[in-house]
Amino acid sequence: MQLPMRGRVALPSHPIALAVVAFVSYAVAVELYYLAFGLADALTPVATFFPPAGLALTLFLGSPYSRWPVVVGAIWGAEVTVDVLHGVAFWDCALWGVANTVEPMVAAVLLWGFIRPEGRNNIASTRHLMAFLGSAVLAGPAVGALIALPSAPAGDLETLTGFWSRWWIGDGIGVLVVTPLLLILGNSRPRERSWGAPWLALVTVLSAITLGPAQPVAHGRGAYLLLPTLVWIAFRASPLTSAAAVFIVGLSANLATLAGVGPFVEPGRPYVGQANAQIFIGTVAFSALLVVVLSANLIQRDKVELVVRHQARTDVLTGIGNRRMLFDRLDGFRSTHALQAGDPIAFLLLDLDDFKRVNDRFGHAAGDLVLKTIADRLVMATRSDETVVRFGGDEFLLCLTKSCSPDQVRALSGRLSAVVAEPIAIGTESVQVVASIGVAEGLWGDFNPDEFLRRADEEMYSAKRRPLPGTSFRSPGGS
């Protein structure tokens, strides 16, 4: 799962512009949180997670160290401004601002410390994912909750512990739900797959059913029907779609619990309902994120294997197949029964006569150009179902199947000799090379690759001994 961790989020580089973006975005997030909280029933004055915590971490991860003071000032100012406007005491506002700036800084420093520099731009493995969970979801919020502890209501140790744990878990889940989505959205790289609107529509409908007022299954168990849906989306859709789906589920559970409806509400025991909702959100978010990482790794491994397999079967210089590709294709004919006993098959082994003279006169770069040109001509002169490979050095081999009667093979051999002999421009001169071609024909039922190659090689050397014109060089206008 490519979750950018540094230098990928599209944040302004100018300090003033960065300060404005950070201040406005964080202030809006906190104000939206207050609006949602204001809609809650008086018996449930708690929220399951704090989305601005995820935004704050994203702002730090997307900014270089030199701009962190700007981000700190913007977040602290936004926190204090919005809290004061909602009637919170200035001392508490100032303390919350410190907590909500130190918290993401600690998370970002720890995260970059655990992940090697070359892997800081993404969570590409389960190791990186665990570093993200430990640093950003657990450690950072724990420090922030400790800083904010003096603002807790006066009470005994249980009251202080409850305040600290609610802050810690609420901010941690906010990071887990919000940060992946924001980081992927800010990724400047082109995305391989789109949003996946049908998936998000499905998640929205299921969230309304399983997290709404009408509960077909008691004690919140029905909400966990969303888990297999999120896991399926993580396998089938893009990381962006999966992160958006997790955000929809988490936000739905948060708003439903705040409004006093849904499977997690416990009348008269608001903090029990909050804890149940947090367990649910944390479980589905972590499960989906883990599946996204694992599936992305599997997809990446498949891509690497395909590239390696292609490279192993492709001639590096000319781009056509090599000896291994030829024998793989022959094995494919055998395993798929694409050829039956009695079907004709033929090898044409082509060697460039006196090719060494090209390298001696013009250099190896010119020799490579000649080989690539000849390879392109051979491909253009054959059908798509005919195999053309560079067999080694200045030798090429064509494998013909199905419609390859002796007359057709002879006609193709003559056509190949003609296209090979066409002049090739090298600087102010041109070169003509002549090919000797050896042919081995037979039937698939009697086919033996080694025997065919031996026969084609003998025919090729017999062709070389015939009186044919050699390699020649000439200027474009000369003779």
Side-chain angles (χ1 to χ4, degrees), residues 97-268:
V98 173
N100 287 326
T101 53
V102 173
E103 175 183 309
M105 280 196 295
V106 170
V109 170
L110 290 176
L111 182 60
W112 290 345
F114 282 116
I115 297 179
R116 295 190 301 270
E118 63 271 17
R120 287 179 179 174
N121 288 338
N122 59 75
I123 300 177
S125 66
T126 52
R127 174 181 172 272
H128 290 179
L129 174 61
M130 294 305 153
F132 173 72
L133 293 174
S135 303
V137 178
L138 298 178
V143 173
L146 190 62
I147 295 173
L149 195 58
S151 66
D156 55 14
L157 181 61
E158 184 178 354
T159 300
L160 294 177
T161 303
F163 176 87
W164 179 83
S165 62
R166 285 193 295 274
W167 182 295
W168 175 40
I169 297 173
D171 280 21
I173 295 179
V175 170
L176 183 63
V177 172
V178 175
T179 301
L181 177 60
L182 294 180
L183 289 174
I184 298 175
L185 285 172
N187 189 358
S188 59
R189 298 187 313 168
R191 304 184 184 100
E192 295 182 357
R193 288 175 285 182
S194 63
W195 268 91
W199 291 113
L200 298 183
L202 174 63
V203 167
T204 303
V205 172
L206 290 178
S207 297
I209 295 173
T210 59
L211 300 174
Q215 292 301 312
V217 182
H219 305 298
R221 289 190 293 268
Y224 283 90
L225 295 174
L226 283 164
L227 181 57
T229 304
L230 291 178
V231 170
W232 180 251
I233 292 174
F235 270 119
R236 300 289 299 177
S238 67
L240 176 61
T241 303
S242 185
V246 168
F247 179 77
I248 291 173
V249 172
L251 187 62
S252 300
N254 196 12
L255 294 177
T257 304
L258 281 170
V261 298
F264 306 113
V265 173
E266 295 283 343

Side-chain angles (χ1 to χ4, degrees), residues 71 100 103 108 124 144 154 195 204 309 311 329 350 360 402 439:
V71 179
N100 287 326
E103 175 183 309
W195 268 91
T204 303
R309 191 179 305 167
Q311 291 175 342
R329 184 158 294 183
L350 183 150
D360 292 343
K402 299 292 184 181
V439 178

Side-chain angles (χ1 to χ4, degrees), residues 397-451:
L397 189 141
L398 285 75
C399 176
L400 312 180
T401 58
K402 299 292 184 181
S403 57
C404 57
S405 65
D407 290 340
Q408 290 172 320
V409 172
R410 281 192 295 272
L412 177 60
S413 178
R415 189 164 68 252
L416 295 179
S417 296
V419 299
V420 168
E422 293 176 3
I424 301 173
I426 300 179
T428 59
E429 297 186 78
S430 64
V431 60
Q432 284 181 297
V433 294
V434 176
S436 296
I437 301 178
V439 178
E441 300 176 80
L443 301 178
W444 177 248
D446 304 323
F447 175 72
N448 183 308
D450 294 333
E451 176 65 20

Side-chain angles (χ1 to χ4, degrees), residues 298-312:
L298 292 175
I299 292 172
Q300 185 63 27
R301 183 179 301 176
D302 288 343
K303 289 181 179 178
V304 171
E305 289 180 355
L306 288 175
V307 170
V308 171
R309 191 179 305 167
H310 174 74
Q311 291 175 342

